[in-house]
């Protein structure tokens, strides 16, 4: 088995700003690990999976150190394949098809790099194998009617679980079973993709195509035509799953992954309300109170009496005595002064539902007003003592000198 992880490129991830200004979204730390390391760990957990190909249009130098670290950490082949230009969710996969087919793997997983889940890969593979006709088996989950239209929606045949109808982000209601961006595929899918490729080339050169040659949408050009052919199946998962689109949704992904990895965390020097991840190199005062759902990165300093909940504190940030951070992301090397408050607002999805359209709202409302529910401090921001920051976004390297509420500080 192999796995392919799609990570897009610097042109994407705009809703993840300002966090993506310093760290590419696929490498943003969630529960102490870069976002796509959770995907890698899930693949590495499956001993049959021997190789991971990460496809995107970030430069090789952006991804280089991460790939080297992963190769050291996991005993499998892990490689980065760079698209010369964004080729869409199917184009890069098709372009690098020979790399995927090499060694004739029994099947390959295809994972969107911006989802978080417990990735039930073995279950998905078994489900796929039990259906010899299947070229693609995708993981689906149940959403509400209002949520579903923002995703790929499918209708399945009740007994066989074959997908009879698939519409990517439909304009009106199709179904509440949505595509999670987690698939297992047989190698024969490339012959279907060859047809899609040819179609797109013809469109492009006849002047009807809107995007570059080689561009293929996996969803529209592959999944939609496969629906109804008895070659596309979907396994419904009831476990948690969500996308990571905005900085706010990173807070919820953090919560999920913290829970999943709970038993791996070492003891902490201060009062902890689980789940909390603290990097071993962080210096945390024993009188701080941290949790629930907090990740603290390498080299962070947390002073006396500090309170942190529902937040991510990135590497080398400093939180001075008695500061409070909740529903917030504190950027690398940012400093929060004594008695300051950095606060967002909880906009919790229903905790009883495995699926939640997390905080994926756009940064701005249609009337142009800022719409954050969390507060974000960009890298290197300095917040002086006794300052209050509510539902605001501060771009990197700003030195603040007053309180802010519902503002974006450029
Ligand atoms: N290599 C590469 N090249 N990757 C890409 C490209 C590209 O040109 N474009 C997008 N991706 C990656 C993104 O980084 C992301 O990880 C994944 O492919 C999905 O791409 P999006 O274009 O952001 O799609 P989406 O998230 O709105 O919708 C997709 O995911 C949903 C689940 O999260 C669709 O597959 C939906 O059907 C699905 O419900």
């Amino acid at each position: 088995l192999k796995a392919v992880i799609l990570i897009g490129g610097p042109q994407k991830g705009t809703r993840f700003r300002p966090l993506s200004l310093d760290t590419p979204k696929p490498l943003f730390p969630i529960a102490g690990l870069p976002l796509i390391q959770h995907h890698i760990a899930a693949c590495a957990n499956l001993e049959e999976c021997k190789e991971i190909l990460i496809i995107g249009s970030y430069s090789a130098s952006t991804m280089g150190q991460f790939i080297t670290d992963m190769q050291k950490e996991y005993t499998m082949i892990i490689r980065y394949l760079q698209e010369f230009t964004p080729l869409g969710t199917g184009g890069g996969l098709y372009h690098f098809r020979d790399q995927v087919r090499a060694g004739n793997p029994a099947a390959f997983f295809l994972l969107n790099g911006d989802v978080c889940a417990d990735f039930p890969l073995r279950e998905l593979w078994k489900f796929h194998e039990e259906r010899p006709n299947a070229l693609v088996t995708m993981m689906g989950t149940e959403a509400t009617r209002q949520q579903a239209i923002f995703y790929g929606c499918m209708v399945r045949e009740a007994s066989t679980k074959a997908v009879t109808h698939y519409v990517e982000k439909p304009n009106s209601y199709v179904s509440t079973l949505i595509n999670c961006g987690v698939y297992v595929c047989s190698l024969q899918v490339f012959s279907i993709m060859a047809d899609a490729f040819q179609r797109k080339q013809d469109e492009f050169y006849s002047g009807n195509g809107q995007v570059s040659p080689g561009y293929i949408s996996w969803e529209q050009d592959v999944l939609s035509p496969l629906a109804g052919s008895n070659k596309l199946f979907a396994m419904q998962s009831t476990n948690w799953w969500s996308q990571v689109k905005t900085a706010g949704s990173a807070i919820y992904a953090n919560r999920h992954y913290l829970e999943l990895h709970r038993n791996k965390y070492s003891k902490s020097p201060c009062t902890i309300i689980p789940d909390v991840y603290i990097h071993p190199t962080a210096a945390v005062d024993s009188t701080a109170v941290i949790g629930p759902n907090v990740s603290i990165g390498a080299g962070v300093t947390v002073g006396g009496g500090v309170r942190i909940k529902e937040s991510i504190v990135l590497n080398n940030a400093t939180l001075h005595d008695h500061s409070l951070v909740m529903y917030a992301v504190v950027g690398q090397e940012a400093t929060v002064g004594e008695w300051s408050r950095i606060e967002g607002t909880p906009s919790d999805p229903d905790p009883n539902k495995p699926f939640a359209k997390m905080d994926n709202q756009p940064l701005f409302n249609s009337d142009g007003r800022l719409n954050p529910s969390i507060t974000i401090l960009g890298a290197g921001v300095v917040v002086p003592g006794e300052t209050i920051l509510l539902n605001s976004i501060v771009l990197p390297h700003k030195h603040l000198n007053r309180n802010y509420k519902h503002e974006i500080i450029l």
Side-chain angles (χ1 to χ4, degrees):
L1 294 175
K2 291 194 187 188
V4 172
I5 305 175
L6 298 176
I7 61 167
Q11 311 77 357
K12 303 276 287 184
T14 48
R15 278 192 284 165
F16 205 62
R17 285 180 188 159
L19 300 174
S20 52
L21 295 176
D22 300 300
T23 312
K25 190 173 90 169
L27 304 186
F28 184 81
I30 309 257
L33 299 182
L35 175 58
I36 57 166
Q37 191 174 343
H38 293 281
H39 299 60
I40 295 174
C43 296
N45 225 352
L46 197 67
E47 69 195 57
E48 293 88 344
C49 189
K50 307 287 185 207
E51 183 172 350
I52 300 178
L53 302 171
I54 298 169
I55 304 183
S57 54
Y58 290 98
S59 69
S61 60
T62 304
M63 296 303 294
Q65 188 57 48
F66 171 75
I67 299 293
T68 309
D69 293 347
M70 293 302 99
Q71 285 162 342
K72 277 195 201 129
E73 187 149 348
Y74 300 97
T75 53
M76 60 197 306
I77 302 166
I78 300 175
R79 291 192 294 144
Y80 178 58
L81 303 174
Q82 189 189 347
E83 281 167 30
F84 50 92
T85 184
L87 293 175
T89 43
L93 173 65
Y94 186 69
H95 181 76
F96 291 112
R97 61 195 176 283
D98 288 344
Q99 313 266 353
V100 181
R101 289 190 292 214
N104 201 23
F108 66 95
F109 296 105
L110 177 65
L111 309 175
N112 285 1
D114 65 351
V115 297
C116 72
D118 62 349
F119 297 111
L121 300 182
R122 182 170 292 285
E123 233 179 306
L124 193 66
W125 180 36
K126 185 164 174 279
F127 192 98
H128 186 75
E129 284 211 310
E130 285 165 1
R131 292 164 175 78
N133 289 340
L135 288 190
V136 178
T137 299
M138 63 182 146
M139 175 175 146
T141 195
E142 200 57 33
T144 65
R145 266 179 99 109
Q146 291 92 329
Q147 292 161 345
I149 52 169
F150 297 103
Y151 299 85
C153 295
M154 65 185 104
V155 178
R156 287 188 307 174
E157 216 268 315
S159 57
T160 63
K161 313 298 183 205
V163 175
T164 52
H165 191 49
Y166 180 90
V167 188
E168 182 62 21
K169 302 189 183 96
N171 290 325
S172 57
Y173 175 75
V174 169
S175 133
T176 48
L177 186 60
I178 61 158
N179 170 12
C180 295
V182 176
Y183 318 83
V184 60
C185 311
S186 300
L187 291 185
Q188 293 88 311
V189 77
F190 288 118
S191 55
I192 301 286
M193 292 191 84
D195 299 340
F197 180 76
Q198 197 51 55
R199 243 183 0 256
K200 298 298 280 190
Q201 294 287 93
D202 294 347
E203 268 173 33
F204 182 79
Y205 289 109
S206 67
N208 295 327
Q210 290 162 17
V211 278
S212 53
Y215 187 99
I216 300 176
S217 158
W218 169 255
E219 296 82 0
Q220 286 168 11
D221 302 321
V222 182
L223 298 184
S224 286
L226 266 183
S229 68
N230 215 27
K231 290 178 182 150
L232 177 65
F233 291 82
M235 180 189 92
Q236 186 175 346
S237 166
T238 52
N239 291 356
W240 62 268
W241 170 90
S242 85
Q243 287 184 319
V244 180
K245 293 290 185 194
T246 60
S249 55
I251 297 284
Y252 297 109
N254 190 49
R255 178 186 298 182
H256 286 316
Y257 279 136
L258 283 171
E259 190 185 350
L260 192 68
H261 301 302
R262 178 177 286 177
N263 54 1
K264 296 186 198 144
Y265 301 132
S266 49
K267 279 197 86 62
S268 156
C270 67
T271 304
I272 292 291
I273 304 163
D275 295 312
V276 171
Y277 165 80
I278 300 179
H279 191 278
T281 59
V284 178
D285 190 276
S286 61
T287 59
V289 179
I290 305 184
N293 307 316
V294 173
S295 291
I296 304 225
V300 167
T301 306
V302 178
V306 167
R307 178 76 180 96
I308 315 174
K309 62 190 265 191
E310 303 281 354
S311 294
I312 300 176
V313 183
L314 299 176
N315 294 359
N316 303 316
T318 303
L319 308 180
H320 286 291
D321 294 354
H322 306 292
S323 54
L324 173 136
V325 173
M326 57 187 268
Y327 292 94
V329 177
V330 178
Q332 298 175 27
E333 284 159 26
T335 304
V336 177
E338 288 184 13
W339 297 102
S340 287
R341 295 175 73 94
I342 309 298
E343 272 187 61
T345 308
S347 59
D348 285 18
D350 182 347
N352 298 319
K353 288 214 184 99
F355 167 82
K357 180 171 157 46
M358 300 298 180
D359 179 29
N360 276 345
Q361 305 306 318
L363 265 187
F364 295 95
N365 291 322
S366 49
D367 60 4
R369 285 191 22 240
L370 189 62
N371 181 29
S373 59
I374 67 162
T375 284
I376 305 169
L377 301 186
V381 166
V382 177
V383 180
E386 300 180 29
T387 305
I388 300 178
L389 215 67
L390 290 178
N391 301 95
S392 292
I393 295 177
V394 189
L395 265 70
H397 307 294
K398 295 285 141 196
H399 288 223
L400 306 186
N401 53 15
R402 63 171 175 89
N403 300 328
Y404 290 91
K405 187 177 173 189
H406 294 285
E407 283 185 62
I408 182 156
I409 299 123
L410 299 169

